[in-house]
Amino acid sequence: MTTHNIAFGKALRELRKARNLSQETLAFEAGLDRTYISLLELGQRSPTLDSMMALCHALKITLTQLVSAIETAMEKPHE
Amino acid sequence: MTTHNIAFGKALRELRKARNLSQETLAFEAGLDRTYISLLELGQRSPTLDSMMALCHALKITLTQLVSAIETAMEKPHE
């Protein structure tokens, strides 16, 4: 596991919860597996650009907004 | 191949050339295979967040700057 994958996972979980989406619903909307979403949120997979774009589409945010959320999560690694 | 992977490839090539780096040198600096760099530049692979972070480190840019370059490349798909 690496710091940025963990930060990505935290950001993804926060963005999903802010929209009141379950992992199942987000997975469906993004065309990804629920298990993969779970592993991403735990920082146990490094998302591809393909997956990030699919998640941005499902979360209705831009890639810039997603990266901003990742960088914010990287700045507070101990939460 | 998808639009954003092609845009990523174009952005990566431009950033590399602006620094006068060969694919070999960039691969060495980022700890990635030269063949993988070549496939990324052609838009034939979707980079993982791990790879993007390694490339940012080698190119001495932030993830935000890399994504900005990708989004700029997405806005001019026909060049």
Side-chain angles (χ1 to χ4, degrees):
Chain A
M1 291 202 287
T2 61
T3 307
H4 50 267
N5 292 334
I6 291 170
F8 174 83
K10 284 183 183 172
L12 178 59
R13 177 160 292 185
E14 283 179 18
L15 289 162
R16 176 176 63 75
K17 292 203 166 183
R19 284 157 184 75
N20 289 313
L21 297 175
S22 64
Q23 289 187 340
E24 286 77 6
T25 306
L26 178 61
F28 178 79
E29 295 287 338
L32 300 170
D33 283 345
R34 208 278 307 166
T35 308
Y36 181 58
I37 301 283
S38 174
L39 291 167
L40 287 175
E41 288 192 0
L42 292 167
Q44 293 181 359
R45 288 291 180 282
S46 190
T48 60
L49 183 57
D50 280 341
S51 301
M52 285 190 269
M53 294 304 291
L55 290 165
C56 284
H57 180 75
L59 293 165
K60 299 182 174 59
I61 58 175
T62 64
L63 188 58
T64 300
Q65 288 172 311
L66 177 61
V67 166
S68 173
I70 299 170
E71 294 198 324
T72 301
M74 275 200 258
E75 286 161 14
K76 39 177 185 175
H78 299 300
E79 265 179 36
Chain B
M1 291 202 285
T2 59
T3 308
H4 51 265
N5 292 334
I6 291 171
F8 174 83
K10 283 183 182 171
L12 178 59
R13 177 161 291 184
E14 283 179 17
L15 288 162
R16 176 176 63 76
K17 292 203 167 184
R19 285 157 184 76
N20 289 312
L21 297 174
S22 65
Q23 289 187 339
E24 287 76 6
T25 306
L26 177 61
F28 178 79
E29 295 286 340
L32 300 170
D33 283 345
R34 208 277 307 165
T35 308
Y36 180 58
I37 302 284
S38 174
L39 290 168
L40 286 177
E41 289 192 0
L42 293 167
Q44 294 181 359
R45 288 290 179 282
S46 191
T48 59
L49 183 58
D50 280 340
S51 300
M52 285 191 267
M53 294 303 292
L55 290 166
C56 284
H57 181 77
L59 293 165
K60 298 180 175 60
I61 58 176
T62 63
L63 188 58
T64 300
Q65 288 172 311
L66 177 60
V67 166
S68 174
I70 298 170
E71 295 199 323
T72 300
M74 275 201 259
E75 287 161 12
K76 40 178 186 176
H78 300 300
E79 267 181 34

